[in-house]
Amino acid sequence: MGSVTTPSFDRRTAVSLISRLRTARGQDNPFPIYKELRSQGAIIPAPWGGYLVTSYDLCDHILRNRAWLEPDKPWRERQGPRTRWSAPSAREIGSTLPALNPPDHTRARRAAGVAFDRGTFERLGRTVTQATDHLLDALADRLRDGEADFAALVSEELPIATIGNWLDLPAADWPRLRELTHEQVFTQELLPSASQLARSDVAMEELRAYFRDLVRDRRRRLGEDPVSRWITTWDSLEPDQDKADQEVYYLALFVLLAALETTSTLLSTMTLQLVENPGHWDLVAADPDELVPAFVEEALRYDPPTHVISRVSATDCLLEGVRIRKDDMVHLMVGAAHRDPAKHPRPGRFDPHRRPAHLAFSGGIHYCLGAPLARLEAQTLLRQLISRLPRLTLVRPPARAPRVAFRRLLNLDVALA
Ligand code: HEM
């Protein structure tokens, strides 16, 4: 671990920085706020308890080290009643894959299997190409009459078409599922308010009913889809059928939640870089084989869809000289860590040639199960955009949702350049 200094910490400054970060304006450009947070130290106490970590190396170390755990169900229960962790939506998330620790996590992750074997990935590749084609047709139509909202027409549509197809969910259900995903996200936010948690709870109830019914129906008619496959796997691991169905439900539910907003955000932030800077468009168009994958990775570093990943300490310990107690939470400020100049020189510059290391898909045993799919969608979209459409330009700066952990562009208005 490289040496990290922790200068004296000013609580009032941290409170004010975090308040700014939670506003739509703060989300517009959180990076100067991150810089100020970093100037307070690589690890600083969070005003509400726990710690904020802004150093890349420290975030990376924590993600890969078994002494740091997910805030699992027992941890959530230890926080007591009437906390955000006891909200029904938080309890539900508390049983899904990213809230499990070994050995439960090892078993559930193994049961999820190789999510995308070669055949599945090739089939999904065709689905993504076809869906992208349709969406870009619709975008091109709209652009003939003037400006178009890329976020609504493309970024919000491609991930649900991909996951809906993969999980074999009826297309008529897609818009509602997407809406519910946007509503439930607050329970996974850094500091949800009581009213946001209430919205998450309502959304989660509907999602729960939907996915429980789905698992029940699939069990009646097992097919080739992943949900049917997970039922067969869990039946071989778990003699109690109700428990097996419960495990499949948690996996199917979380796959949908994990896949939609994050991928939409990636598609929008990547396209924002392309339309804000004509030089980028020309550069990628001149060498797509080399630069399409590199551009996507730089977009994931520059402004990752998830800016915060949290862990709790398994034991009392010292972290870079800071005393941490068992069960204390550390918030890995991934959005800030990606701009850590100790890791990436000139971190504020979007460099399509950089091919950076990043933590957008986490690290260690919880590394994102859907990373190949997210990359497939982003690369397919980018390749088709630059080969099919004339250069696009940004009409106005996009608006962003007032959150911290899960970035969301509310619009991305573009026009023909
Ligand atoms: C750009 C898009 C995506 C981003 C940025 C992203 C990010 C992440 C992150 C940061 C984690 C780890 C959380 C932690 O360490 O606590 C994670 C886990 C996970 N992601 Fe993704 N994700 C994306 C797309 C997807 C997609 C498309 C799927 C499904 C097909 C998916 C499924 C999952 C699952 C199941 C986990 C839990 C893994 C585990 O805990 O073992 N993600 N993702």
Side-chain angles (χ1 to χ4, degrees):
M1 190 86 313
S3 76
V4 183
T5 51
T6 304
S8 66
F9 159 77
D10 175 0
R11 186 175 187 280
R12 272 220 313 257
T13 308
V15 171
S16 132
L17 290 173
I18 297 292
S19 308
R20 271 167 54 202
L21 203 53
R22 294 173 77 189
T23 63
R25 254 186 91 196
Q27 283 301 294
D28 222 23
N29 186 6
F31 302 104
I33 303 176
Y34 290 153
K35 198 170 174 186
E36 284 186 62
L37 274 178
R38 184 176 306 106
S39 74
Q40 300 257 315
I43 164 165
I44 59 173
W48 57 91
Y51 297 85
L52 304 173
V53 181
T54 54
S55 137
Y56 185 98
D57 283 348
L58 212 44
C59 287
D60 192 38
H61 165 79
I62 289 169
L63 287 173
R64 289 169 202 281
N65 192 306
R66 295 292 175 105
W68 297 93
L69 301 174
E70 291 280 3
D72 58 12
K73 216 167 168 182
W75 182 92
R76 287 166 199 245
E77 277 162 13
R78 287 201 292 280
Q79 307 315 300
R82 289 183 297 280
T83 66
R84 63 168 289 189
W85 303 105
S86 65
S89 51
R91 285 209 306 268
E92 206 68 8
I93 289 288
S95 295
T96 61
L97 201 51
L100 301 180
N101 289 306
D104 296 344
H105 177 265
T106 321
R107 187 174 184 231
R109 178 97 189 200
R110 215 168 271 157
V114 181
F116 311 107
D117 58 61
R118 209 174 193 198
T120 307
F121 203 66
E122 279 171 13
R123 194 180 60 72
L124 279 171
R126 289 190 292 275
T127 303
V128 171
T129 302
Q130 233 172 43
T132 307
D133 241 346
H134 288 313
L135 296 172
L136 291 188
D137 283 346
L139 179 76
D141 271 354
R142 191 69 63 88
L143 286 168
R144 269 192 279 279
D145 301 330
E147 64 184 64
D149 179 358
F150 190 94
L153 288 171
V154 182
S155 308
E156 286 280 306
E157 294 293 335
L158 184 56
I160 184 68
T162 308
I163 286 293
N165 239 292
W166 182 48
L167 296 183
D168 201 11
L169 307 176
D173 299 345
W174 296 355
R176 181 67 186 148
L177 288 171
R178 188 177 46 204
E179 212 173 301
L180 291 169
T181 306
H182 288 314
E183 284 293 292
Q184 68 71 42
V185 77
F186 297 111
T187 198
Q188 302 181 65
E189 254 301 319
L190 184 62
L191 292 169
S193 67
S195 63
Q196 288 174 332
L197 275 179
R199 282 166 66 183
S200 283
D201 290 347
V202 172
M204 193 62 90
E205 210 172 298
E206 198 175 326
L207 283 162
R208 182 183 161 88
Y210 183 91
F211 280 99
R212 285 194 176 269
D213 285 354
L214 181 82
V215 175
R216 211 190 39 228
D217 291 352
R218 289 287 154 90
R219 182 177 277 290
R220 285 201 205 109
R221 290 182 298 271
L222 288 179
E224 296 294 307
D225 61 288
V227 178
S228 298
R229 202 158 27 82
W230 294 331
I231 292 173
T232 310
T233 305
W234 271 105
D235 280 352
S236 68
L237 294 172
E238 177 56 71
D240 180 336
Q241 193 176 297
D242 289 343
K243 279 194 188 151
D245 283 356
Q246 172 122 324
E247 296 296 342
V248 178
Y249 150 72
Y250 282 127
L251 185 56
L253 166 75
F254 189 75
V255 160
L256 182 92
L257 300 185
L260 294 190
E261 266 210 7
T262 48
T263 313
S264 295
T265 302
L266 169 61
L267 302 182
S268 282
T269 50
M270 171 188 88
T271 306
L272 177 62
Q273 284 309 315
L274 202 66
V275 297
E276 252 187 337
N277 190 331
H280 286 163
W281 188 293
D282 297 339
L283 199 70
V284 182
D287 188 6
D289 287 346
E290 182 69 20
L291 284 183
V292 163
F295 198 91
V296 171
E297 296 312 302
E298 177 66 344
L300 284 162
R301 178 200 71 87
Y302 189 77
D303 191 354
T306 311
H307 273 213
V308 186
I309 300 175
S310 300
R311 292 288 185 269
V312 296
S313 179
T315 54
D316 291 353
C317 67
L318 269 182
L319 185 64
E320 296 293 338
V322 176
R323 192 166 299 284
I324 311 272
R325 283 168 314 165
K326 175 179 179 331
D327 274 356
D328 278 352
M329 183 170 262
V330 293
H331 301 289
L332 311 181
M333 306 300 285
V334 169
H338 283 185
R339 301 287 184 106
D340 179 352
K343 179 69 183 176
H344 297 298
R346 301 180 66 194
R349 179 163 176 266
F350 187 97
D351 177 359
H353 292 285
R354 193 188 294 261
R355 293 190 173 273
H358 63 72
L359 305 171
F361 292 123
S362 189
I365 61 170
H366 292 278
Y367 185 81
C368 175
L369 192 80
L373 196 55
R375 286 188 166 115
L376 174 73
E377 290 176 58
Q379 293 180 12
T380 305
L381 174 61
L382 182 54
R383 195 164 275 135
Q384 290 204 29
L385 251 182
I386 51 161
S387 63
R388 277 196 46 183
L389 269 71
R391 207 196 296 142
L392 303 181
T393 185
L394 186 66
V395 175
R396 63 185 64 81
R400 287 186 170 83
R403 311 193 184 149
V404 177
F406 290 85
R407 298 275 279 162
R408 186 179 174 205
L409 275 77
L410 298 172
N411 63 314
L412 182 57
D413 300 324
V414 298
L416 296 173

